[in-house]
Amino acid sequence: MPLILFAAPSLWPEYRDALPRAVAEAGIKAQIVTEAPPEQVDYIVYAPSSPLQDFTPYTRTKAVLNLWAGVERITGNPTLTQPLTRMVDPGLTEGMVEWVVGHTLRHHLGMDRHIVNPGHIWDPTCPPLARERPVTILGMGALGSACADALRALNFPVTGWSRSEKPGQLHGEDGLRQALSAAQILITLLPKTPETDSLLNAARLALLPQGAVILNPGRGALIDDDALLAALDRNIGHATLDVFRIEPLPQDHPFWTHPRVTVTPHIAADTRAITAARVIAENIRRGETGEPFLHLVDRARGY
Ligand code: NAP
């Protein structure tokens, strides 16, 4: 019977019922514990905020199963030599799609003008249709492609850009230039890696059309903060940011008070225990039957 160590103590109340149920539904008889002698542990259910940082004594562990989608805080851990999987949770994806569609529609429809209108100005200008509002998504993985599908269903013309060459998408530096130049709304859903750090620097922000809106639910490090503040004085119309280099965003950070920056406190999408527990259980089932794990992290790539 495999021994599963749940090594994310702050999340245990959410998973105490959901994980045993999902494991049983996957047909696995297992023992799930929150503490165990390391040499007896078969699987570690993990979050990067966990106190467990030294994986060296976990000599029989078949996989470390991360509960978060982002893995930048663990890919560099030299003691972690076991296979590492990341979370691709249908519940998390659903939340991200809702956040992205909601904030896209806010800016597309110009909702702010009518929600805050102290002068009671009667401005009957209609917004354009979605089909006239080009959107670019940087990062077309689990989250970016789900957001692209939802926005395309509303008729937004969506351009996707990612690392590898794929049909119907852009890639590479030329592709990035093309993707940015076309974007009236830019959505960044890339992981944080050495290659994506400050990907949106001054030169690339300058490629965006006048009045472009940026939505960043990916990672704070994707954007150079100072370059963004300067670009807000030039071509960027608004930035809605969910993630930051330092979280919580320090009280004295200019993003809090900038009139054309919206701060949301890293709430775009959370892992949902019921659906995420099923993903963890499926990977344990795979580990037990010798099938390849889902959502394996490529540590050389960093995501
Ligand atoms: P994913 O499935 O791994 O997709 C990542 C995408 O980024 C892929 O399309 C990948 O390209 C692309 N990419 C990676 N490095 C690149 C580079 N150097 N140049 C161009 N494209 C690159 O990840 P995901 O599940 O969609 O999640 C994306 C990120 O969202 C996570 O890493 C996390 O940081 C963030 N997130 C935020 C929240 C929140 O609440 N704000 C919640 C969950 C996740 P390929 O397709 O070619 O591999």
Side-chain angles (χ1 to χ4, degrees):
M1 185 189 296
L3 181 65
I4 303 169
L5 173 65
F6 191 91
S10 64
L11 297 174
W12 182 236
E14 283 176 58
Y15 285 85
R16 192 187 349 238
D17 297 330
L19 188 58
R21 196 179 318 126
V23 167
E25 280 168 10
I28 306 154
K29 284 193 179 23
Q31 199 187 350
I32 305 174
V33 294
T34 53
E35 280 178 31
E39 64 284 358
Q40 294 176 15
V41 171
D42 295 290
Y43 300 92
I44 302 175
V45 180
Y46 192 70
S49 56
S50 166
L52 197 175
Q53 296 295 327
D54 181 6
F55 294 90
T56 318
Y58 292 87
T59 46
R60 64 174 282 144
T61 298
K62 296 179 196 162
V64 173
L65 308 165
N66 196 39
L67 290 168
W68 296 6
V71 288
E72 71 273 11
R73 281 170 62 181
I74 24 174
T75 46
N77 184 331
T79 70
L80 177 53
T81 52
Q82 299 84 347
L84 169 67
T85 66
R86 64 184 207 93
M87 182 49 66
V88 178
D89 162 30
L92 182 148
T93 304
E94 211 174 307
M96 183 60 82
V97 167
E98 290 179 14
W99 188 95
V100 164
V101 170
H103 286 277
T104 299
L105 287 176
R106 168 194 171 192
H107 295 294
H108 166 61
L109 295 174
M111 288 182 184
D112 293 13
R113 278 189 306 146
H114 307 297
I115 292 170
V116 182
N117 187 4
H120 300 173
I121 294 162
W122 183 267
D123 173 4
T125 315
C126 258
L129 292 173
R131 66 181 72 250
E132 297 159 323
R133 179 87 66 191
V135 174
T136 286
I137 303 182
L138 304 184
M140 289 289 284
L143 299 178
S145 51
C147 292
D149 290 347
L151 292 170
R152 284 183 182 131
L154 292 171
N155 287 338
F156 286 101
V158 178
T159 299
W161 179 82
S162 56
R163 194 179 57 87
S164 50
E165 191 172 347
K166 296 192 196 78
Q169 284 182 29
L170 297 172
H171 72 287
E173 192 60 41
D174 284 350
L176 180 57
R177 259 194 298 277
Q178 201 181 320
L180 292 176
S181 316
Q184 285 186 22
I185 297 181
L186 176 71
I187 300 159
T188 45
L189 272 166
L190 296 158
K192 181 184 176 217
T193 69
E195 284 76 43
T196 62
D197 202 327
S198 290
L199 184 105
L200 289 182
N201 56 22
R204 293 195 181 115
L205 287 168
L207 296 172
L208 287 160
Q210 198 62 38
V213 168
I214 297 175
L215 309 182
N216 182 18
R219 280 292 180 262
L222 302 177
I223 307 182
D224 177 329
D225 288 7
D226 292 336
L228 175 58
L229 287 164
L232 280 157
D233 290 334
R234 208 178 44 233
N235 57 327
I236 305 301
H238 197 105
T240 294
L241 310 172
D242 184 58
V243 282
F244 305 90
R245 284 172 189 272
I246 302 174
E247 295 182 3
L249 183 67
Q251 279 304 317
D252 60 352
H253 197 289
F255 286 159
W256 278 118
T257 49
H258 196 291
R260 283 180 292 109
V261 174
T262 300
V263 170
T264 64
H266 203 144
I267 42 84
D270 206 359
T271 305
R272 309 288 161 153
I274 289 175
T275 43
R278 291 189 192 126
V279 178
I280 298 288
E282 169 60 11
N283 259 338
I284 293 169
R285 189 196 67 72
R286 285 168 169 259
E288 291 307 286
T289 54
E291 292 171 60
F293 291 116
L294 296 172
H295 320 308
L296 262 183
V297 173
D298 177 338
R299 268 170 267 187
R301 253 180 7 181
Y303 70 98

